[in-house]
Amino acid sequence: MKLKYSTTIFLIVAFFGGFAQHEITASLKETLETPDRPTKNAQEVVLVTGVRFAYPLVQKWIDDYARVNENVQIVVESRGVQDPAKYDILIEAYEPQEAQKKNREYVYVARYAILPVANSQSAFGKTYSDKGLDKDLIRQVYFHDMYADKENERKIKSPYTIYTRLQRAGSPIVFTGYFGFEQKDLKGKTIAGSDEHLLKAVLRDSTAVSYLPLSVIYDRATKRPVNGLVVLPVDLNDNGRVSDDEKFYDNLTRAVEKLGQQRSKDLNNVPLEYLHFSVDRNVNPAAVEFIRWVVDNKLGDLSDFGFLQPEPEKLNKEKFEQFASQRTP
Amino acid sequence: MKRILLFLVPVLLAAHLAFGQGVVEGVIKDSDGNPLPGATVVKKGTSAFALADENGDFSIAASQEFPFTLKISLVGYETQEVQIYELIDEPIDVVLRIDGLLDEVVVTSRRRQETAQEVPVPISVVSGALVETSGAFNVNRVKELVPSVQLYSSNPRNTTLNIRGLGSTFGLTNDGIDPGVGFYVDGVYYARPAATTLDFIDVERIEVLRGPQGTLFGKNTTAGAFNITTRPASFKPGAVFEVSYGNYGFIQAKTSITGPLVKDKLAARISFSGTQRDGTIYNVRTDKYLNDLNNLGIRAQLLFTPTSDLEITLAGDATRQRPDEGYTQVIAGVVQTKRADYRQFRNIIADLGWQLPSENPFDRKVDQNGTWRSGNDQGGVSLNIDWAVGPGKLTSTTAWRYWNWDPLNDRDFTGLNATSRSQATSKFNNWSQEVRYAGDFSEKLSGVIGVFGIGQTLKTDPEHLEEAGPDQWRFQQSTTNTALWQTPGLFDGHGSSTVFTLESFGAAAFANLDWAITPKLHLLPGVRYNYDRKTVDYARTAYGLYETEDPALIAIRTIYTNQAFNFTASESNVTGQVTLAFNASKKAHAFGTFSTSYKPVGVNVGGLPTVAGQPDLSLAQIKPEYTRHIEFGLKTSPSKRATLNIVAHHTEVDDYQTLVQDPDPALLRGYLANAEKVRVQGVEVEGNAKAGRRFSFFGGVAYTDGKYVTFRNAPLPLEEIGARNEDGTSVPFKDISGEELPGISKWAGNVGGEYSAPLKVFNSDSKFFIALDAYYRSEFSSSATPSQFMYVDSYALVNGRLGVRATEGLSVTLWARNLFNKDYFEQLLVAGGNAGHYAGVLGDPRTFGVTIRQAFGAK
């Protein structure tokens, strides 16, 4: 009889142990992903979440801010399906929706560009890093287009496999929307993961072709595209061919400079979109103060991280400043 | 205790692992956002897989290591691969696109979802979309899309559905035999051939299986099967409204509404179909147009899904055909028989003061004094239970169906009153129960195994009546003593009343397995046990016999005699098949099949011939039919844009059940008999292709050669009626061994093409399309015994349509059938009494119109 009770108890322990282990693993994972967890001594905690390709840039700003304001601990967390109200600051990679504009305060902090890329070993990458892609070819290569004139499509001899992100997220929405499609119209294999995971997938397949934001394409240390990746130049002036002066992607600084010196509307075949910070109108004043500090002092960091300066009229700085002055002492 | 701990530690660890491991959840949809139930999710490199449920949702355990790949597939759609780099706490959305090249056609005839090209069975598939856009709203019109199918219908009872020329008797039919082509709708066997005259309601797909399929289906099918799948109830709300207008007053309206009643548990669909059209044949006597259509049908379904493994469908349908005067036949020609001049048809009608309204049957004129009535009511209820158990699915299909037939015919086809009444009203009902288990039992073995039972009751309602009229004397006259035959009232009012009940019971066990000896080589054995029993109680009573003491009149006054018999006949046997299939590659699948099949005893319930004044009771029951069949097929996909299939077949039938047309006017519909042996062989080629994104084509050719190998006592052809031997005795029969079988064109084929291009209509995705298809068949014999006159000439029909169609939203189609207004016969029939005239079932003239369709949500 005793023996049976023991067995039962062990099984119950095993059962709940499983749950416990699951919770512990999740907790550990969370801890590992957020090394800058607030310390017991911190007086203010500001939680930030949003588009992941901006995390390195935002983390740099957080680190710098910590040096000028020790009383505020700013933490970046991966976004899940939790209530967004949990977060003080949202970093979004596309234009805020009308409802958001009405209910939240926001400020554009950077522009970013999305470019076609390929595995550098691929025949496709080798061919088209030289020839470049014009609008028709981009549409043909990347999208299922039921209205396309298939009879007159160009012949592509190099094999290729399109890789794209599965979840609705900034870069696929911006890339597909720019060319007049929806995310479901993208061809190829899909990746459940972030832009960084998309990069990994491209590097693993020698036929891979994809699209990535500049901040993910380049290795910040070398300022060159990540080893194994090649950028496919596009027809910037939309004249139907890619000329030599449209090929400047071997160096991050040069790429940012070339793209940044033109206004968004004057650039063709490069999806350009804004990164913005948004806050609830009743947000912790410390969050507002952090954003104000970034806008006033840190936009000079953008190019090092693969972002372009916002166009002055888009910055929305004054409106946010007005809001900030009401929320902060 | 130590032992227990040793046992429990692994359990504990396993539990940890199980709960520590995540799950990938997602939903699979098509590009229009419709869920794709049945889509397969396989974790690449492992044997783990999951199936999407009716909402397209799936769940599969994640791997320990990232990334891992999920391969998501569904036949007819492009396979999608998703590489999982991290687990996310929301379901992933997977969109499968319809294959932009040549759609893979999915079939379920082997009781599991398969690609038609990979099934080692000759199978033609007509999609619901083609049925809708081509106006092929019943089997008679679908036959133009499948060259191996023949359908002859002079009215719903007298309907013959054949495949490769085999299946049922040609010409008029007899309620006492079983059809050889199985007609299944959602797994329910429709026992009477009249079902094939009904308008389709909500058809999703028609699969036509050629050759015996006894080891796949509950009811035996000696010649092939029609497997029709209708649209099920959907948990996603949707509705389709469709209305067509055409010449000859054609109006057809269809509605189908579906949606959930209880979220994820109970859904319903209700569908209506109504068709009407004015007559196409003018009766000069009554100033009316005959051959009109007037059909109404309803179908309702409830789908209950208490768990993800269990699906219960309760369905009911009722169809009523009430044409004013439908199924009219015209006199197609007059033949000089071997009888004396005064017995020739033209002399008979001249003496009676009547003449043909036209010598050209295609003038579409008749002069008929009788009324044509064909009240045809059919319906039933069925309960289908699908339960996913183990590696397969257990299915139970319970059904009850009825058929009420209320006809009235002008069987002399003239304005004379020779046959004043021909009315064989019948009531029929049947129950059936099938239980089967089908699935992939292991990596190497798949198949279906099942049992089936059916009980049928057919009875007169309340009696079958045949009655002679005042002009009958001249048709009966067989001596030159006209005054004697013209005796007033000699035949007028003389008739027969027939009352019978036929009870049939059939039971079967069947199995069909697919054993993958190697990935490329498959052996498919099949076996079937049949038990059939028929009990008949038949009585024909003559009435109105002319009362006379005159021996001369007594000798000639009788047309109808009393006939009575009752018996029970039963038969049991084992039939089977074996197929060897070789899948050389994804592009080529070859197979060879040998099978045997059987059709139960037939019972003559249309009257027996008389010998020396007495009914020939030996013909009350005719022998079962036994079939041996062999075929070789090759299914190929020369490219992703084309399929090309070829099948060669050879079938021999012993004791072929046929219908003999007798000169005896008391046997207006003929009687059943056995031909000793027949043989049908041929070659079929069919294919589909796409050219570019905009053009698609289909086509097929069937060469069929059908012969009586031995039939010594065949009926005489019409032109030989009255033939006499050298000694002056009449010739009763003819040896037609080696001659051709009726209803089989040596060549039949079709070809069609469509151009389509995307189009935005009211901001929704639509397609403009223009399509043309043509159907051809060479001449064929339209008489049980070949007659030099009773041949239907070859004909070709061209149909066309153009319009805008949308998956959701508004579709408009302009259509025309028989575009070049070709005059043709569908069938020729010898008129009762064999006086020399024969009737024809006219094909429809050119019809054209417009169909407007509005669809919302689920289809």
Side-chain angles (χ1 to χ4, degrees), chain B residues 62 66 72 196 214 219 344 421 510 546 564 593 648 675 704 710 722 737:
Chain B
F66 293 93
I72 296 139
T196 60
K219 187 73 175 78
Q344 298 301 321
R421 182 174 251 189
F510 58 97
Y546 185 70
T593 295
T704 315
T710 315
S737 303

Side-chain angles (χ1 to χ4, degrees), chain B residues 180-481:
Chain B
V181 174
F183 193 76
Y184 285 84
V185 179
D186 292 335
V188 176
Y189 176 67
Y190 283 31
R192 299 315 307 169
T196 60
T197 65
L198 301 181
D199 293 355
F200 295 138
I201 301 179
D202 261 335
V203 163
E204 186 168 275
R205 188 176 65 252
I206 300 171
E207 300 166 21
V208 181
L209 291 86
R210 311 190 293 271
Q213 307 296 338
T215 61
L216 285 176
F217 289 85
K219 187 73 175 78
N220 209 358
T221 56
T222 56
F226 265 65
N227 185 32
I228 296 178
T229 305
T230 70
R231 295 191 179 100
S234 169
F235 287 101
K236 186 180 172 193
V240 177
F241 303 99
E242 182 185 301
V243 62
S244 302
Y245 297 96
N247 59 342
Y248 294 102
F250 178 78
I251 301 174
Q252 185 171 64
K254 292 180 177 178
T255 301
S256 182
I257 301 167
T258 187
L261 298 178
V262 178
K263 190 174 184 294
D264 298 337
K265 295 291 177 201
L266 189 64
R269 177 183 287 275
I270 186 158
S271 315
F272 302 91
S273 169
T275 305
Q276 66 180 64
R277 192 200 65 191
D278 296 340
T280 56
I281 295 171
Y282 180 61
N283 190 349
V284 298
R285 180 167 295 248
T286 58
D287 190 26
K288 273 177 74 175
Y289 280 90
L290 315 180
N291 226 22
D292 60 313
L293 299 174
N294 186 17
N295 308 334
L296 184 67
I298 180 172
R299 182 176 175 81
Q301 294 180 73
L302 280 176
L303 171 64
F304 179 44
T305 54
T307 71
S308 59
D309 295 336
L310 192 59
E311 262 186 22
I312 301 170
T313 303
L314 179 65
D317 67 279
T319 299
R320 164 173 283 215
Q321 293 184 334
R322 287 284 188 281
D324 183 27
E325 290 201 56
Y327 298 99
T328 311
Q329 291 124 61
V330 302
I331 292 182
V334 178
V335 170
Q336 184 82 12
T337 67
K338 300 272 188 201
R339 285 171 171 162
D341 274 355
Y342 73 92
R343 298 192 69 188
Q344 298 301 321
F345 180 74
R346 288 192 186 280
N347 291 329
I348 293 171
I349 61 172
D351 288 353
L352 292 169
W354 185 79
Q355 60 183 11
L356 291 170
S358 170
E359 291 291 331
N360 179 5
F362 298 114
D363 285 344
R364 295 181 173 272
K365 282 183 187 169
V366 295
D367 175 4
Q368 293 175 353
N369 60 334
T371 302
W372 292 87
R373 188 168 75 217
S374 44
N376 184 29
D377 291 353
Q378 291 195 54
V381 290
S382 65
L383 180 71
N384 191 83
I385 302 171
D386 282 323
W387 184 22
V389 187
K393 190 189 280 183
L394 185 67
T395 299
S396 164
T397 306
T398 310
W400 178 84
R401 296 200 62 76
Y402 69 90
W403 172 52
N404 295 334
W405 172 230
D406 178 21
L408 189 62
N409 303 303
D410 188 342
R411 278 275 167 226
D412 56 37
F413 304 112
T414 69
L416 298 169
N417 202 351
T419 303
S420 65
R421 182 174 251 189
S422 174
Q423 187 177 12
T425 45
S426 298
K427 265 191 190 303
F428 169 87
N429 69 74
N430 78 282
W431 61 265
S432 62
Q433 173 67 55
E434 180 168 333
V435 179
R436 64 172 185 268
Y437 186 71
D440 298 329
F441 308 130
S442 73
E443 270 188 23
K444 288 181 175 290
L445 194 66
S446 63
V448 57
I449 181 165
V451 291
F452 177 77
I454 183 168
Q456 307 179 62
T457 302
L458 175 71
K459 53 174 68 171
T460 50
D461 179 31
E463 58 187 343
H464 288 186
L465 293 170
E466 301 288 343
E467 192 174 299
D471 296 324
Q472 182 64 42
W473 70 270
R474 188 60 185 85
F475 288 87
Q476 285 294 107
Q477 184 180 358
S478 58
T479 66
T480 53
N481 185 355

Side-chain angles (χ1 to χ4, degrees), chain B residues 21-337:
Chain B
Q21 190 179 5
V23 168
V24 179
E25 292 181 332
V27 58
I28 304 168
K29 295 179 176 174
D30 66 14
S31 49
D32 292 326
N34 300 310
L36 294 176
T40 310
V41 182
V42 176
K43 205 190 303 178
K44 235 176 153 182
T46 74
S47 58
F49 74 99
L51 290 175
D53 65 16
E54 70 274 14
N55 298 316
D57 294 335
F58 72 92
S59 168
I60 190 167
S63 288
Q64 294 290 311
E65 290 184 12
F66 293 93
F68 60 94
T69 300
L70 299 181
K71 189 174 172 185
I72 296 139
S73 57
L74 182 65
V75 278
Y77 291 82
E78 288 178 4
T79 296
Q80 176 75 273
E81 284 195 2
V82 178
Q83 295 182 5
I84 309 289
Y85 275 78
E86 63 177 1
L87 288 183
I88 50 176
D89 46 8
E90 57 187 301
I92 62 173
D93 284 324
V94 181
V95 176
L96 295 188
R97 308 182 65 84
I98 291 174
D99 192 319
L101 301 171
L102 196 62
D103 295 345
E104 282 185 328
V105 178
V106 180
V107 294
T108 55
S109 290
R110 293 206 306 166
R111 308 315 192 182
R112 42 216 195 261
Q113 289 212 337
E114 298 172 297
T115 305
Q117 278 301 99
E118 295 173 4
V119 175
V121 176
I123 185 167
S124 303
V125 181
V126 180
S127 69
L130 184 58
V131 165
E132 281 159 8
T133 58
S134 65
F137 58 82
N138 57 28
V139 177
N140 195 27
R141 293 175 174 219
V142 162
K143 76 174 190 285
E144 293 163 17
L145 301 169
V146 188
S148 301
V149 170
Q150 298 93 28
L151 184 121
Y152 305 102
S153 180
S154 53
N155 66 30
R157 182 215 301 277
N158 292 303
T159 296
T160 300
L161 176 61
N162 282 356
I163 293 176
R164 295 169 173 165
L166 295 174
S168 198
T169 56
F170 181 82
L172 300 179
T173 46
N174 190 303
D175 291 335
I177 59 165
D178 290 33
V181 174
F183 193 76
Y184 285 84
V185 179
D186 292 335
V188 176
Y189 176 67
Y190 283 31
R192 299 315 307 169
T196 60
T197 65
L198 301 181
D199 293 355
F200 295 138
I201 301 179
D202 261 335
V203 163
E204 186 168 275
R205 188 176 65 252
I206 300 171
E207 300 166 21
V208 181
L209 291 86
R210 311 190 293 271
Q213 307 296 338
T215 61
L216 285 176
F217 289 85
K219 187 73 175 78
N220 209 358
T221 56
T222 56
F226 265 65
N227 185 32
I228 296 178
T229 305
T230 70
R231 295 191 179 100
S234 169
F235 287 101
K236 186 180 172 193
V240 177
F241 303 99
E242 182 185 301
V243 62
S244 302
Y245 297 96
N247 59 342
Y248 294 102
F250 178 78
I251 301 174
Q252 185 171 64
K254 292 180 177 178
T255 301
S256 182
I257 301 167
T258 187
L261 298 178
V262 178
K263 190 174 184 294
D264 298 337
K265 295 291 177 201
L266 189 64
R269 177 183 287 275
I270 186 158
S271 315
F272 302 91
S273 169
T275 305
Q276 66 180 64
R277 192 200 65 191
D278 296 340
T280 56
I281 295 171
Y282 180 61
N283 190 349
V284 298
R285 180 167 295 248
T286 58
D287 190 26
K288 273 177 74 175
Y289 280 90
L290 315 180
N291 226 22
D292 60 313
L293 299 174
N294 186 17
N295 308 334
L296 184 67
I298 180 172
R299 182 176 175 81
Q301 294 180 73
L302 280 176
L303 171 64
F304 179 44
T305 54
T307 71
S308 59
D309 295 336
L310 192 59
E311 262 186 22
I312 301 170
T313 303
L314 179 65
D317 67 279
T319 299
R320 164 173 283 215
Q321 293 184 334
R322 287 284 188 281
D324 183 27
E325 290 201 56
Y327 298 99
T328 311
Q329 291 124 61
V330 302
I331 292 182
V334 178
V335 170
Q336 184 82 12
T337 67

